[in-house]
Amino acid sequence: MKPLANPTYLRALRGQSTDYTPVWIMRQAGRYLPEYRATREQAGSFLDLCRNPELACEVTLQPLRRFPLDAAILFSDILTVPDAMGLELSLNEGIGPQFAHPVRNAADVERLPVPDPEDELGYVMEAVRTIVSALDRSVPLIGFAGSPWTLATYMVEGGSSKDHRRVKAMIYESPQVTHRLLEITSDAVAAYLNAQIAAGIDAVMIFDTWGGTLGDRAYREFSLAYMARIVSQLNLGDENDPDGRIPVTLFTKGGGQWVEDIAATGCDGIGLDWTTSLGDVRTRLQDRVTLQGNMDPMSLYASPEQIRAEVKAVLDDFGSPGRHVFNLGHGILPDINPDHVAVMIDAVHSLSRR
Ligand code: 1CP
């Protein structure tokens, strides 16, 4: 395979030197871009867009045409996996994602299959292959999945939820049933990510958006343990492969207190939200892993001058050049002005240039 024209993101994740701090944005393909909204309309709906490899490729590339981003991320959603497990996903404007068949008890859990990703999720693999070919080794492609715990919150609640009451009741009332649900979901996620790797992604990201809502012991037992299990099941290759080992980044929103344990999973990168200091975590982990983050997504509402100052503050908090991938601390909001994104990316590149 030909080498990447811009390997900065992968080099940072592997702990190699870089000319500047690489940057990408969680949810970089999405509603804040008018061209995304137009393509979604053309597709019919969000789910039609996910299931159309050509249009999924188009929206993956849209932010890269506007901004000099250092990575692309597959356009899809974490909820395609439970959909393929038979829960039947729909997405309604204003309400958010919903499942027709939520998982509420032991019988529901025992019925769950581990889908064959090339079959039931073949449209995602086709999108990966289409994007890989369109990128033509310009920047790396990040593939992703939800953590088993985060997927379980949607699977048990039947959609988004403020307090995750049903799924949290389940961990205390029926821990064995919850573990079985998380085991099956982990196997589904591992198979799904391995299929994305076979289809050509360059890096893996696992989104644990709701791990931070768990108590300390519950986080380790119901979220982190299953992410660790997935990391150990991935076909990442090794350092001696001509293209290098595929790096894995774990992002637990609200997970700053667990970084030592997250690093112990063998991941290469840890995503942090804006409530944690990058400098503090760097001191705790001593550059054993790469840190991704962590500008407050809301700071993009500010003026260009304030955005530059905020970028500088994040870079300064991290400190001397090292294992850092710049990002927001969570996904970009739908009403952010794309010009402000351009200011942020330019500031990261120019202020961090060695
Ligand atoms: O109306 C629309 O166009 C749908 C909005 C939308 C988009 C653009 C959804 C529905 N999903 C996505 C794409 C998406 N989702 C990507 C694409 C790649 C990118 O550009 O980053 C990714 C990586 C995700 C991941 C995702 N989906 C997460 C984890 C990351 C995070 O932001 O916390 C979660 C929790 C979801 C669930 C989901 N899908 C969509 C919505 C609105 C939600 C969140 C619902 C909730 O708040 O509970």
Side-chain angles (χ1 to χ4, degrees):
M1 214 192 318
K2 77 176 179 190
L4 283 161
N6 176 0
T8 317
Y9 166 79
L10 291 183
R11 290 186 60 86
L13 277 166
R14 291 174 179 146
Q16 298 163 336
S17 64
T18 57
D19 298 336
Y20 58 85
T21 302
V23 53
W24 70 281
I25 304 167
M26 288 194 268
R27 298 283 181 103
Q28 65 189 24
R31 289 166 290 180
Y32 73 107
L33 291 177
E35 58 269 37
Y36 167 80
R37 297 195 296 268
T39 308
R40 188 185 59 187
E41 189 134 335
Q42 185 192 341
S45 70
F46 170 74
L47 287 178
D48 293 329
L49 180 53
C50 288
R51 289 174 185 143
N52 182 322
E54 263 70 43
L55 294 182
C57 174
E58 165 59 23
V59 294
T60 298
L61 299 182
Q62 283 169 350
L64 295 144
R65 294 195 192 111
R66 269 188 191 250
F67 316 117
L69 291 157
D70 295 293
I73 179 159
L74 163 68
F75 185 83
S76 188
D77 196 79
I78 64 167
L79 301 178
T80 55
V81 170
D83 180 57
M85 294 166 84
L87 275 68
E88 218 184 301
L89 175 64
S90 60
L91 205 109
N92 308 303
E93 196 79 41
I95 306 176
Q98 284 181 304
F99 285 118
H101 311 293
V103 174
R104 294 278 159 79
N105 53 43
D108 294 342
V109 169
E110 285 316 320
R111 267 196 298 274
L112 290 172
V114 172
D116 174 347
E118 278 295 348
D119 185 6
E120 281 104 320
L121 291 156
Y123 63 92
V124 178
M125 304 313 146
E126 200 47 44
V128 170
R129 288 186 283 264
T130 308
I131 298 162
V132 165
S133 140
L135 284 173
D136 194 24
R137 305 296 287 157
S138 50
V139 291
L141 176 63
I142 305 168
F144 70 89
S147 75
W149 167 254
T150 289
L151 293 178
T153 67
Y154 292 97
M155 294 165 80
V156 173
E157 302 293 336
S160 302
S161 151
K162 267 206 185 67
D163 53 12
H164 301 138
R165 193 176 293 231
R166 281 197 170 93
V167 68
K168 289 186 82 172
M170 193 189 245
I171 69 176
Y172 296 108
E173 281 169 11
S174 325
Q176 293 323 315
V177 174
T178 317
H179 278 302
R180 189 72 196 117
L181 167 61
L182 292 166
E183 258 169 40
I184 297 169
T185 307
S186 294
D187 289 347
V189 168
Y192 179 60
L193 287 173
N194 278 328
Q196 290 185 34
I197 292 170
I201 61 164
D202 301 291
V204 168
M205 171 100 193
I206 298 179
F207 290 101
D208 185 29
T209 306
W210 303 121
T213 64
L214 288 166
D216 178 60
R217 281 182 308 281
Y219 173 73
R220 294 164 206 278
E221 181 177 343
F222 293 97
S223 183
L224 187 60
Y226 292 94
M227 290 198 282
R229 172 178 161 138
I230 291 168
V231 172
S232 75
Q233 289 175 347
L234 295 181
N235 305 323
L236 302 171
D238 61 43
E239 283 75 18
N240 303 322
D241 282 359
D243 301 308
R245 180 178 184 270
I246 293 186
V248 182
T249 300
L250 304 184
F251 169 64
T252 292
K253 183 161 174 277
Q257 67 271 42
W258 297 302
V259 291
E260 288 83 359
D261 307 85
I262 297 173
T265 60
C267 66
D268 305 87
I270 298 182
L272 293 165
D273 71 28
W274 61 94
T275 62
T276 303
S277 155
L278 291 177
D280 285 355
V281 172
R282 190 181 186 188
T283 305
R284 282 158 66 188
L285 298 181
Q286 295 296 316
D287 289 324
R288 286 204 300 280
V289 296
T290 298
L291 304 184
Q292 174 184 287
N294 67 345
M295 197 166 103
D296 183 348
M298 301 269 183
S299 65
L300 287 176
Y301 288 122
S303 68
E305 298 70 46
Q306 288 165 313
I307 291 169
R308 284 186 74 86
E310 198 54 39
V311 167
K312 183 169 186 312
V314 172
L315 292 170
D316 287 350
D317 180 19
F318 182 81
S320 60
R323 302 187 65 167
H324 184 200
V325 170
F326 196 98
N327 206 313
L328 299 176
H330 196 204
I332 187 168
L333 295 155
D335 58 349
I336 291 297
N337 178 347
D339 295 343
H340 288 198
V341 175
V343 170
M344 180 188 91
I345 293 167
D346 178 69
V348 174
H349 284 161
S350 58
L351 295 171
S352 70
R353 192 158 288 277
R354 323 290 186 222

